[in-house]
Amino acid sequence: MATGSLFLLTEAAAIAGAILYRPLLGAADGRLAQGADTRALLGALCEMVLVAAVAGTGAALFPVLRRHGEGLALGYAFGRLLEAAVIALGIVAVLALVTLRRDAGAADGADAALVAVHEWTFLLGPNIALGLNTVLLAYLAYRARLVPRFLAVLGLVGGPLICASAVAVMFGAYAQLSVAGAAAALPVFAWELGLAGWLIARGFGPLDNDEVPGR
């Protein structure tokens, strides 16, 4: 139940953080709108909660996953730590951006560079690293029958899809915050919500034969 709650917390904190600091990142003239710095700081706090929750899911699931593949379980735990570290770097960029935009004499180049750092961390952390971690966890869950197969398959499809979308964004095919980018992220979003609900309701353990859909 606690692990499921952590997955729900990652989704809530990520959405809240992005909504709160987006006006700061989108200020084309570099000037802060009224209250934008306060919103950005609140967004950074939300993402600090996200960092803790992301790392917490890896730590909480490791004792269970290691019984079904210690190497992959370690990969998942360290992958979540890497994802959390990249997100933390993005938080630092946002906080530095707040400082620069409070200073009327801040250089435009530094201002733009910090926005770029945050955008790249957002692409590498909650997209590529998240996609790889999703594949690892979904594969272990599918192989050990820890969740219903349709849920594991959702993660196995969603992980590569969000990674492929991040690569497409990287090479300029479309913007990350676009209809195509959102559509590519939906399967992973549904996987994490479904996994959270399953963990809260049922827990993480091998399913009996009569609990596996399609058998």
Side-chain angles (χ1 to χ4, degrees):
M1 183 174 179
T3 308
S5 298
L6 283 174
F7 273 105
L8 286 178
L9 188 58
T10 63
E11 299 295 342
I15 292 171
I19 291 173
L20 285 167
Y21 60 61
R22 183 52 51 184
L24 175 77
L25 299 176
D29 59 3
R31 290 178 295 182
L32 280 171
Q34 185 175 6
D37 56 343
T38 301
R39 290 184 60 184
L41 293 174
L42 290 173
L45 287 176
C46 288
E47 291 219 329
M48 289 172 66
V49 172
L50 171 62
V51 166
V54 166
T57 56
L61 289 178
F62 177 72
V64 177
L65 298 178
R66 70 182 301 183
R67 297 197 293 266
H68 306 285
E70 187 165 2
L72 290 175
L74 275 172
Y76 180 72
F78 281 108
R80 289 300 261 182
L81 283 176
L82 174 62
E83 184 182 341
V86 174
I87 294 169
L89 179 60
I91 297 171
V92 173
V94 168
L95 294 175
L97 189 57
V98 170
T99 300
L100 278 178
R101 289 190 172 170
R102 281 175 172 172
D103 180 2
D108 290 339
D111 196 48
L114 287 170
V115 173
V117 168
H118 178 270
E119 296 303 319
W120 280 108
T121 58
F122 189 61
L123 187 68
L124 296 176
N127 284 267
I128 292 180
L130 172 61
L132 295 175
N133 290 332
T134 296
V135 171
L136 279 176
L137 180 56
Y139 173 72
L140 277 168
Y142 182 90
R143 189 177 70 176
R145 297 193 307 160
L146 299 174
V147 299
R149 285 184 175 177
F150 76 89
L151 185 56
V153 168
L154 188 60
L156 288 171
V157 171
L161 184 60
I162 199 171
C163 286
S165 176
V167 172
V169 171
M170 190 179 298
F171 285 94
Y174 49 81
Q176 186 171 2
L177 296 179
S178 63
V179 174
L186 275 177
V188 167
F189 180 70
W191 147 260
E192 290 207 336
L193 287 183
L195 179 62
W198 179 263
L199 290 172
I200 291 171
R202 168 67 166 72
F204 219 22
L207 300 175
D208 297 329
N209 286 342
D210 58 356
E211 291 182 293
V212 180
R215 292 184 66 98

